[in-house]
Amino acid sequence: MEFSGRLGKFVIAVLLLVFFMQVYAVNIVATINPYYLIVKEIVGDKVDVNLLIKPGSNPHVFNPTVSDVKTLSNADIIVANGLGLDNNYLKNYKNVLFVGEKVPKKYLSKSDEHDEHAENNEITYNPHVWLSIDFLTDYIIPAIRDELVKVDPQNARIYSQNANKIIVSLKEISQKFDKLFADVSKNKQELTVILEHPSYLYFFKKYNVKVLAVEEGHGKEPSAQHIKNIIAQAKKGNLLGIFVGPQFKTESIKVVAKELGRDFKILDPLGYNVKTVTELFENAYKSIREAAYGK
């Protein structure tokens, strides 16, 4: 009888433990797909991860729905970019990790576009820090890993191991880019790329490639004069390629490409159809290599 009583108490204790583990399971929301991919790789099946903005959508013009607000409100951690990309609709949340703010300001480039949410004429920066492999490996992935360890220390070893795997794979693809740009830059003339949207600015900046952005503002059609200026500048330089992301319109890029006698390539900033952040850069490598060598 005494044994049965002890067994019953033990079973109840186990059930309560399982219950509380389920109730207090960590819930994470990532605002954009690259951070969602990174978090998913780090946590595996240990944590629930939700993506706020689908990779086929433009995060610059995103407005959360009632359902989105509920998702954000239920999150233990919100992994966001910051730097003006998602600050406005997250300003009332306390549990936000703005990973873009982990990158030292000295490495950031000032934005050419006016940020309507900026206050007191504060400096605004190009927010696309997730497209710098060095920023990811040195600042962003470590920041995400550390935040996960803080809220879920029992899985710290797993999170650290998985984060390191991502960093290693990114450094491997980075070496491939280093070799590619070393090869295409042999004539020492400054390389130029034309982008519909300046998302890959930090990526190309590493290799001293000049970026010409067709877009003059989020959701705004470029003027005929701006397109004319882009074409004129491209003709003066060593044009590496013309690129557009699947989230953006192609009308203006088609005009530029036709005038310059070049095909444009897809260079996806958000990973529209990839399973890992490394795959995002592998696809970028293929597009840039095709633009450079035509194969």
Side-chain angles (χ1 to χ4, degrees), residues 27 29 50-52 66-75 78:
N27 181 28
V29 174
N50 293 293
L51 173 62
L52 189 66
V66 173
S67 176
D68 293 329
V69 171
K70 182 178 180 181
T71 298
L72 291 167
S73 299
N74 291 332
I78 301 170

Side-chain angles (χ1 to χ4, degrees), residues 164-231:
N164 188 60
K165 288 179 182 178
I166 305 172
I167 290 171
V168 169
S169 67
L170 286 173
K171 287 186 175 181
E172 288 175 353
I173 189 67
S174 183
Q175 291 176 351
K176 291 178 65 176
F177 279 118
D178 293 345
K179 185 178 185 307
L180 173 62
F181 281 99
D183 290 342
V184 298
S185 302
K186 284 181 178 178
N187 62 10
K188 304 302 180 182
Q189 185 181 359
E190 182 185 46
L191 292 169
T192 300
V193 294
I194 298 175
L195 306 178
E196 169 64 27
H197 179 74
S199 52
Y200 272 82
L201 177 71
Y202 295 114
F203 173 86
F204 285 115
K205 182 179 179 181
K206 175 181 179 179
Y207 300 104
N208 298 313
V209 177
K210 183 179 180 180
V211 172
L212 302 176
V214 172
E215 184 182 82
E216 290 189 276
H218 303 310
K220 299 179 181 178
E221 294 295 327
S223 66
Q225 184 59 49
H226 181 67
I227 292 178
K228 184 178 179 181
N229 291 340
I230 291 288
I231 293 170

Side-chain angles (χ1 to χ4, degrees), residues 4-288:
S4 298
R6 289 178 179 176
L7 179 61
K9 289 179 180 178
F10 175 75
V11 171
I12 292 173
V14 171
L15 291 174
L16 285 172
L17 178 61
V18 172
F19 172 76
F20 281 112
M21 286 178 66
Q22 290 175 341
V23 170
Y24 294 106
V26 179
N27 181 28
I28 302 175
V29 174
T31 58
I32 59 174
N33 194 49
Y35 299 141
Y36 171 79
L37 296 173
I38 290 169
V39 174
K40 284 290 289 181
E41 278 195 85
I42 293 177
V43 303
D45 59 357
K46 299 294 183 182
V47 174
D48 291 329
V49 186
N50 293 293
L51 173 62
L52 189 66
I53 307 171
K54 298 300 183 285
S57 302
N58 183 350
H60 289 282
V61 295
F62 173 77
N63 285 309
T65 64
V66 173
S67 176
D68 293 329
V69 171
K70 182 178 180 181
T71 298
L72 291 167
S73 299
N74 291 332
D76 296 294
I77 307 172
I78 301 170
V79 180
N81 189 75
L83 301 175
L85 185 69
D86 40 26
N87 301 67
N88 188 55
Y89 63 83
L90 294 176
K91 61 185 177 183
N92 294 322
Y93 296 91
K94 304 297 183 184
N95 53 338
V96 184
L97 172 65
F98 287 115
V99 293
E101 296 174 5
K102 301 298 182 180
V103 180
K105 291 288 194 297
K106 63 181 179 180
Y107 298 131
L108 299 180
S109 298
K110 293 180 182 179
S111 176
D112 293 329
E113 298 180 0
H114 171 68
D115 183 356
E116 62 184 13
H117 303 302
E119 298 178 356
N120 301 320
N121 296 317
E122 64 180 309
I123 296 174
T124 58
Y125 298 95
N126 183 301
H128 305 93
V129 290
W130 69 89
L131 292 170
S132 162
I133 296 178
D134 292 341
F135 290 170
L136 286 176
T137 60
D138 295 351
Y139 305 107
I140 294 174
I141 293 175
I144 294 173
R145 175 203 61 205
D146 293 346
E147 191 69 17
L148 289 168
V149 168
K150 188 189 303 181
V151 299
D152 188 18
Q154 66 180 0
N155 289 308
R157 183 176 62 85
I158 294 173
Y159 296 160
S160 295
Q161 288 176 343
N162 290 344
N164 188 60
K165 288 179 182 178
I166 305 172
I167 290 171
V168 169
S169 67
L170 286 173
K171 287 186 175 181
E172 288 175 353
I173 189 67
S174 183
Q175 291 176 351
K176 291 178 65 176
F177 279 118
D178 293 345
K179 185 178 185 307
L180 173 62
F181 281 99
D183 290 342
V184 298
S185 302
K186 284 181 178 178
N187 62 10
K188 304 302 180 182
Q189 185 181 359
E190 182 185 46
L191 292 169
T192 300
V193 294
I194 298 175
L195 306 178
E196 169 64 27
H197 179 74
S199 52
Y200 272 82
L201 177 71
Y202 295 114
F203 173 86
F204 285 115
K205 182 179 179 181
K206 175 181 179 179
Y207 300 104
N208 298 313
V209 177
K210 183 179 180 180
V211 172
L212 302 176
V214 172
E215 184 182 82
E216 290 189 276
H218 303 310
K220 299 179 181 178
E221 294 295 327
S223 66
Q225 184 59 49
H226 181 67
I227 292 178
K228 184 178 179 181
N229 291 340
I230 291 288
I231 293 170
Q233 291 182 67
K235 288 181 176 179
K236 293 179 182 177
N238 184 13
L239 183 61
L240 174 63
I242 304 170
F243 304 96
V244 63
Q247 300 82 10
F248 304 101
K249 297 178 180 179
T250 59
E251 287 81 358
S252 299
I253 280 291
K254 286 179 178 178
V255 171
V256 172
K258 183 177 180 180
E259 184 65 27
L260 293 171
R262 296 281 295 270
D263 293 330
F264 66 86
K265 303 293 181 181
I266 298 298
L267 193 58
D268 185 3
L270 294 171
Y272 182 72
N273 192 27
V274 302
K275 295 181 179 179
T276 68
V277 72
T278 301
E279 189 180 350
L280 184 154
F281 286 102
E282 288 172 345
N283 288 346
Y285 177 85
K286 293 174 184 176
S287 290
I288 294 170

